[in-house]
Structures are given as C-alpha cells and as structure tokens.
Amino acid sequence: MASETVSGQLRENHAEARDRVEDISTFDSWIDGSRYETDEVVETTDPVVGEPITAIPRCGSSEVDTAVDAAWRAFDEEWSETTPAERSRRMFEWIDVLRDHVDELAFLECVDTGKPMSQARGEVEGAIGTLEYYASICQGQSQDGRQVSTSEDLHLYTRKEPYGVVGQITPWNFPVWAAAWKLGPALGTGNATVLKPSAEAPLTTIRIAELSEGIFPDGVLNVVTGTGSEAGGALTEHDRVRKISFTGSVGVGQRVMQAAAENVAPVTLELGGKSPFIVFPDADLEKAVSAVADGIFYSTGEICDAFSRAIVHESVHEEFVDRFVEKAESYTLGDPLDEETTMGPLTTESQYETVTEYIDVGESEGATLLTGGGPPDDSDLRDGWFVKPTVFDDVENDMRIAREEIFGPVQTINTFSSYDEAIELANDTEFGLAAGIATERTSVVHNAAADIEAGLVYVNEYGPILPQAPYGGFKESGIGKDLGTEVLDHYQQTKSVYVNLDEPEL
C-alpha cells in the first residue's frame, strides 16, 4: 500500500507539473513575431510517467513556407541593415529577459526531457551564456574582413555578409542549449532564422522564442514545430533557405545533406559519437572514474560525446572496474523534479526500447554485465523510461555495443597493453566526435591528443563545453563546427572587392 501511495504521489506531482506547463504558454509555433497554430498537433510526453504534457502544432511545408517568407521579409526590410552593435544590443536585451525566466525555463527543460533539475538549470544557464558570448563578439568579429596587399593602383579587400535566411534543426537531448548554439551565431552575424526543434522536447525552444517578442523585428526568429519528416524535411528541402545547420543522428544527417545538395545549400552537421576514454597506467583513478562516469551517466547517457568506451590499461583494469561499478551504483534514479535525484529517465519511449535492446545484444555477444542491465527495481518508476546505470566488461571492439551509438547509460570497458594499442582501439570507429585521456604525464597528453582522431579531447575530466572553443567532430561525426569564432564563418559568405584606383593627375 505504501508503494501505491508513493506512486500515486509521483503521478500527482507530475499532473501538477503539467498544469504549470499549461499556465506558462500554449506552446504554439512562433512565426513572424507571434504564436502560430495548426489544425493538427503532436503530443509531447512526460518521460517520468509516460503521459502527455501538452500538444504542439504539426507544421508541414505550408507552415515552413510561411516562416521562410516571414524571415526573408524581416531580413530584406530591416535586419540586413542593422549594424553589429545594434544586433548585439537586441541580443543582450533578449538575454536579460531570459535571465528573468531561468527558473521557468529550467522547469520546462526538466519536465520535457526528464533531466534532473540541477542539470536542466545548468543547461539553461549554459544556453544563456552562449547567447551572451555571441552578443559580445558579434560587435567586433561578425563582419570582419581584411585588406589584401597588392599593387599601388588597386585597393583589394574582403567583406563578410550573412546568407540571409538559414534553417536550423536541433535535437531532443539538449533542447535549449542546442538552440542557443545555433541562434547565437546566426543572429549575431545578421541572418534571420527558421529553427525546428525536436517534437520530443520542444518546450524551452518555443518559450525562448516567445520571450524575444518585441525585441527582434517580427520574422527574424521563427520556430516551426512538428515531426522531422514533415517540418524538418520541408525546411531542408526549401529552395529559399540558404544554409542548413543540423544536430542529430548520422542517418538523418545524411538525408539533410542530400536535400540541401539539391539547392547547393551549405550544411553544418553535428552527428553521432562513440567516444573513447583512455585510462593510462599512471592515471589518477579517482579522477578517471569520475570523468568516465560523468561522460556516460550525465543526462542519462543521452549525449553525443558520451564516454561510452572506456579503454583501460591492463595494469589498472581491475581497480578501475571495482571503483567504476561502485560509482555507477551510487546514482539515485527518481523523479527529476526531486532535488535528490541524480539520474532521470531516458527522454523518449523509443530510446528506452533502443537502449534495453542494446543491453540484450551485449549479453548475447558475450560481454560481462557487471551492474545495471534494465529498469530499476523501484515499482514507483515502472511507468517511466528508466534504465539503471549499466556497465559491461570483457568487451571486444568488434561487438555491436562497442561500435554502435547506444545513446543511453551503458558503459563498455576493454583493456590495452601498450600506447599504440590504446590509440588503435580509440580510432577503430566510424565516429570522431570526442575522446578522453587520463594520465599525469604531459608528454602522453600531447601525443595522444595529436594521435586520436576526434574533434574534442578532454584530459582527466569530462568537459567543460565552453562557447569560446569550436565543437564538432571528425569522420561520420559531422561537418563544420558549432561554437567558437569558427562558427561565424559557417553563417557568412565572403566577398572580395577590387577597387581599381586611377593614377593621380600631375
């Protein structure tokens, strides 16, 4: 009876949470500076109890056309004429409003994704910090050209110009942060944008767009909601969208690239990962265990650069495994609205099914399951998409669980005996988003950082991810970069201007 009472309380808490969501907004699309409804809708689901949170518009090609038209109108009539200083001022005004709504945005992110509240708040603050970074640097760098030395009778210089209207597609695992990664540089460089968030977790993205009302010209920032195949497909195929930036799976990224190629539109793709973390024999194992755990169990493992492959030197393997299993079993699964919870559910039912299927695959392949392996024993969590932190040892690099992106709290461990073997194992993957190194030797750090085929290398910890540094992968992990000043080039075109000077009259 006590269990039924607790379970009933959990459902009651989330019913109240859904009521609060409805009090915040109707969560329509945001097109041309106002809310935009459609007759058909898509439900977003609470991953803790498996019940609908709210319904969002199901946009298709017609709505995308409307948003693109609004974006071009805003760009042509006003936004393209703004100075970097003016764009910066407006972005900072938006940031001030967002800061006033941090609690609300963190709550929405928590309910929509199942992230523990502390993580949701950190990601909202990270999103605001990212926008702040681009609001700052766009004043001095968004249109920087250069003068080219040439003959005395020729003045040659370059200038950078926005594409005009860009299309942006964000994932469900980091909704508000991913939106900021794309909106910050796009708006800062003078583009108007049409952004499609994932239908699985769109609430914070819609809300930050609503909170821009009256700050940007109508049509500069548009959010179209709906499914990837309908709204996302229409956006990537649109012949008036000049640039596409996508974050998601490799398979969908390939289709995005093919669609954009029809219109010769450039793409930025941040795709999947199967990131290794090499534990060298001299590593501080306390640091190494914490780094790997943070890199696979944060956000329930639904992170592109997750440290899903621990590659551990044979001399420290046994101690590492003992410590890591103890760490995995220390997580508190539960209601993400509860401050004591350190791991929430997976965000979607389909991802829950994928992760549990991979766990079955790992066991059938002969890997040794050390802990986890399924939903928690707590019956109060039976209706949510919870999976315990799971650890496999005795993993071979040709196993599916070692090669395919699981996108959940599933850690694999294999061993190495030499530096060359460690690097070979780390690079034996189609992906190249991130990697980690645990060592106390500076020479190993720099050699391994050079030898590993990945766009990011973390040393003795997981993260941080800062807006000042470019983020993106090698191989099938993507094309181009988010973040840093490098991303500004992905949202601008470079023009060369030749000014032929007349010879001075005597």
Side-chain angles (χ1 to χ4, degrees), residues 79 87 91 94 182-191 193 216 220-221:
W79 195 239
R87 293 196 296 273
M91 289 178 70
W94 183 36
K182 297 190 186 301
L183 293 173
L187 297 174
T189 51
N191 295 280
T193 181
F216 301 114
V220 165
L221 196 171

Side-chain angles (χ1 to χ4, degrees), residues 2-61:
S3 177
E4 292 179 5
T5 302
V6 174
S7 182
Q9 185 64 53
L10 183 65
R11 287 190 168 278
E12 183 178 334
N13 290 345
H14 278 257
E16 292 175 358
R18 292 193 294 276
D19 288 341
R20 183 180 170 189
V21 169
E22 292 181 0
D23 291 339
I24 291 172
S25 174
T26 55
F27 293 100
D28 297 319
S29 291
W30 186 258
I31 299 177
D32 204 13
S34 62
R35 294 178 175 85
Y36 191 101
E37 300 179 40
T38 58
D39 293 334
E40 294 188 58
V41 297
V42 178
E43 287 185 336
T44 179
T45 304
D46 185 336
V48 174
V49 294
E51 295 181 359
I53 301 172
T54 189
I56 59 171
R58 183 175 176 174
C59 294
S61 58

Side-chain angles (χ1 to χ4, degrees), residues 251-298:
V252 177
Q254 290 170 333
R255 294 197 291 275
V256 167
M257 192 172 183
Q258 290 167 353
E262 291 294 320
N263 298 309
V264 199
V267 297
T268 300
L269 304 176
E270 197 266 281
L271 307 177
K274 195 67 177 175
S275 301
F277 189 96
I278 304 175
V279 181
F280 287 99
D282 68 312
D284 180 324
L285 290 186
E286 183 177 353
K287 290 181 182 178
V289 166
S290 293
V292 178
D294 289 343
I296 188 61
F297 299 137
Y298 179 86

Side-chain angles (χ1 to χ4, degrees), residues 310-366:
I311 301 171
V312 184
H313 191 269
E314 58 189 11
S315 67
V316 296
H317 171 262
E318 184 176 350
E319 184 179 357
F320 176 88
V321 167
D322 289 344
R323 290 187 181 209
F324 191 78
V325 168
E326 182 180 0
K327 181 73 171 178
E329 293 175 346
S330 72
Y331 283 80
T332 301
L333 275 68
D335 185 354
L337 293 169
D338 187 337
E339 293 291 347
E340 295 182 358
T341 294
T342 57
M343 182 180 288
L346 294 158
T347 299
T348 73
E349 184 176 15
S350 63
Q351 192 58 32
Y352 172 84
E353 292 171 351
T354 295
V355 171
T356 53
E357 179 181 343
Y358 270 113
I359 292 171
D360 291 340
V361 167
E363 291 189 276
S364 68
E365 289 181 313

Side-chain angles (χ1 to χ4, degrees), residues 24 31 63 92 99 102 107 172 196 205 221 237 242 313 317-318 360 400 413 450 471 481:
I24 291 172
I31 299 177
E63 290 76 23
F92 273 116
R99 289 198 186 283
V102 166
F107 164 76
W172 46 261
K196 195 209 85 69
T205 305
L221 196 171
E237 295 168 3
R242 297 280 178 81
H313 191 269
H317 171 262
E318 184 176 350
D360 291 340
R400 285 183 60 195
I413 301 173
Y471 184 101
K481 300 292 182 181

Side-chain angles (χ1 to χ4, degrees), residues 425-504:
L425 286 169
N427 290 338
D428 184 17
T429 174
E430 296 173 345
F431 298 103
L433 182 53
I437 304 165
T439 181
E440 298 299 300
R441 296 170 58 193
T442 303
S443 60
V444 174
V445 168
H446 295 298
N447 284 327
D451 291 338
I452 292 172
E453 298 170 348
L456 304 122
V457 178
Y458 301 113
V459 180
N460 292 327
E461 64 179 328
Y462 173 65
I465 298 174
L466 301 177
Q468 295 93 328
Y471 184 101
F474 296 175
K475 299 188 282 190
E476 289 192 10
S477 287
I479 297 172
K481 300 292 182 181
D482 287 314
L483 302 183
T485 56
E486 285 83 350
V487 72
L488 301 179
D489 288 334
H490 295 308
Y491 287 103
Q492 297 178 104
Q493 305 174 96
T494 301
K495 177 183 291 183
S496 296
V497 181
Y498 290 78
V499 181
N500 290 287
L501 305 174
D502 294 332
E503 293 185 10

